[in-house]
């Protein structure tokens, strides 16, 4: 029995620690559950106190961590280190949101707001984790990017801007930490079945004024897509567990890949970006956007 337990531990988390952000639902919640099952010590962080309280009731360690609140990032990270005795084996940066809308209709304050949540907060947390991982000579930093980190679609400019920036920052970081024992990895999902589209609709209502826009007719289609009924899915959409499967490979493989694609659209657009001219790619992306 002990030998069997040791073998399972070697194949899975083996008691290693991971901090995951955005665990209130979707990819983060699925990742927390799956990694705990595999033997990882999971710190499942959330932005809202009530979500942390719910996860605590479910037996998770759940520090509050809001990417837009630098103090909460520092406090949440300190709570993790205090619990582990100063060690952290992996960080999965995951929480993000979108503000659907045409670039010309996007207030600059909206762009500042989304960059705080989708990039700057990630950067703050990553910079806290790196010295810990460097000192212990090992660690994994996994960034949940998107197919929209490699290709542009209409009415998604703010989210795309944050993901393009994340891709560039992450690729640079991977070069800079090479040889330190720290692995830096991107996961690039396409459409995943979560509440992401409903949250995006709320952000659109907050920031975008459609009536006076030259794109007002397009916004009717965007709204219909974002408010689709529960159970009505994109034909290429996969469940959050599809991302988690790649996350497990990123965390547990002896030699993780720099990138992991999830969903057919990600593979197709990655190929199209290499194979097509800019004009041809624009025509393809315009059709997909519509």
């Amino acid at each position: 029995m002990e030998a069997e337990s040791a073998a399972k531990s070697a194949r899975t988390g083996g008691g290693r620690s991971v901090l995951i952000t955005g665990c209130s639902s979707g990819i983060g919640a699925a990742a927390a559950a799956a990694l705990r099952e595999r033997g990882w010590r999971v710190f499942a962080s959330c932005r809202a106190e009530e979500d942390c309280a719910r996860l605590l009731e479910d037996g998770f360690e759940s520090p509050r961590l809001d990417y837009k609140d630098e103090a909460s990032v520092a406090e949440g990270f300190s709570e993790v280190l205090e619990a582990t005795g100063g060690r952290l084996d992996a960080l999965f940066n995951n929480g993000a949101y979108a503000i659907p809308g045409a670039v010309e209709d996007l207030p600059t304050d909206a762009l500042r707001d989304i960059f705080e949540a989708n990039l700057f907060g990630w950067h703050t947390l990553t910079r806290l984790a790196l010295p810990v991982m460097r000192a212990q000579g090992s660690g994994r930093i996994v960034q949940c990017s998107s197919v929209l980190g490699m290709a542009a679609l209409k009415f998604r400019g703010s989210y795309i801007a944050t993901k393009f920036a994340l891709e560039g920052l992450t690729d640079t970081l991977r070069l800079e930490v090479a040889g330190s024992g720290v692995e830096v990895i991107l996961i690039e999902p396409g459409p995943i079945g979560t509440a992401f589209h409903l949250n995006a609709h709320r952000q659109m209502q907050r920031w975008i004024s459609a009536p006076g826009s030259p794109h007002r007719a397009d916004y009717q289609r965007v709204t219909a897509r974002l408010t689709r009924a529960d159970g009505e899915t994109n034909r290429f959409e996969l469940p959050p567990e599809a991302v988690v499967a790649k996350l497990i490979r990123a965390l547990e493989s002896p030699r993780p890949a720099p990138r992991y694609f999830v969903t057919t659209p990600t593979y197709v657009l990655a190929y199209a970006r290499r194979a097509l001219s800019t004009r041809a790619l624009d025509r393809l992306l315009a059709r997909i956007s519509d």
Side-chain angles (χ1 to χ4, degrees):
M1 183 66 71
E2 289 182 5
E4 182 181 340
S5 176
K8 181 180 179 182
S9 179
R11 290 194 305 271
T12 58
R16 288 176 290 176
S17 57
V18 58
L19 170 59
I20 306 173
T21 60
C23 291
S24 61
S25 63
I27 293 170
L35 290 176
R36 181 171 68 173
E37 178 68 21
R38 294 180 67 82
W40 285 79
R41 183 177 184 181
V42 177
F43 293 88
S45 73
C46 301
R47 177 181 57 83
E49 289 283 6
E50 56 267 29
D51 291 322
C52 291
R54 174 172 50 82
L55 286 171
L56 287 168
E57 289 180 359
D58 290 340
F60 287 98
E61 295 171 274
S62 184
R64 179 181 173 272
L65 198 155
D66 180 353
Y67 280 135
K68 291 185 183 181
D69 180 355
E70 192 166 328
S72 86
V73 174
E75 290 167 10
F77 188 75
S78 293
E79 184 178 328
V80 172
L81 291 190
E82 184 176 351
T84 64
R87 184 175 183 88
L88 181 65
D89 296 293
L91 167 64
F92 180 38
N93 277 312
N94 163 68
Y97 70 91
I99 308 173
V103 171
E104 65 187 291
D105 295 332
L106 184 70
T108 304
D109 282 346
L111 201 58
R112 290 191 183 98
D113 197 67
I114 196 171
F115 264 85
E116 286 288 347
N118 290 14
L119 185 72
F120 300 151
W122 294 39
H123 181 61
T124 298
L125 183 55
T126 298
R127 290 188 66 236
L128 290 171
L130 273 168
V132 175
M133 293 179 178
R134 279 186 177 276
Q136 65 199 23
S138 65
R140 303 277 170 103
I141 296 173
V142 184
Q143 313 272 53
C144 193
S145 184
S146 170
V147 62
L148 297 180
M150 68 175 76
L153 297 179
K154 292 189 290 185
F155 309 117
R156 298 162 174 87
S158 62
Y159 184 76
I160 287 167
T162 65
K163 292 303 183 183
F164 268 60
L166 175 67
E167 295 262 335
L169 206 62
T170 302
D171 283 344
T172 305
L173 178 62
R174 187 178 63 253
L175 295 174
E176 292 170 347
V177 302
S180 68
V182 181
E183 301 281 357
V184 181
I185 303 149
L186 284 158
I187 297 179
E188 294 161 325
I192 300 295
T194 69
F196 186 86
H197 63 286
L198 296 176
N199 293 333
H201 183 244
R202 286 192 286 269
Q203 292 292 331
M204 179 180 168
Q205 291 178 307
R206 176 186 177 191
W207 291 108
I208 302 299
S209 178
S213 169
H215 303 282
R216 56 188 174 275
D218 296 303
Y219 286 138
Q220 295 176 4
R221 293 195 296 274
V222 173
T223 297
R225 173 172 55 81
L226 294 175
T227 57
R228 65 181 189 261
D230 289 345
E232 182 183 341
T233 62
N234 179 310
R235 60 184 172 137
F236 295 114
E237 192 171 273
L238 293 178
E241 288 75 16
V243 179
V244 176
K246 297 297 177 76
L247 173 63
I248 290 169
R249 290 169 61 181
L251 293 178
E252 297 182 2
S253 172
R255 282 181 56 84
R259 278 177 164 75
Y260 290 93
F261 294 166
V262 188
T263 75
T264 297
T266 306
Y267 285 96
V268 170
L269 288 180
Y271 173 78
R273 190 181 180 192
R274 295 192 303 269
L276 300 179
S277 68
T278 299
R279 289 185 184 278
L281 183 60
D282 280 355
R283 288 193 292 270
L284 172 63
L285 295 174
R287 288 198 296 271
I288 293 172
S289 298
D290 292 335

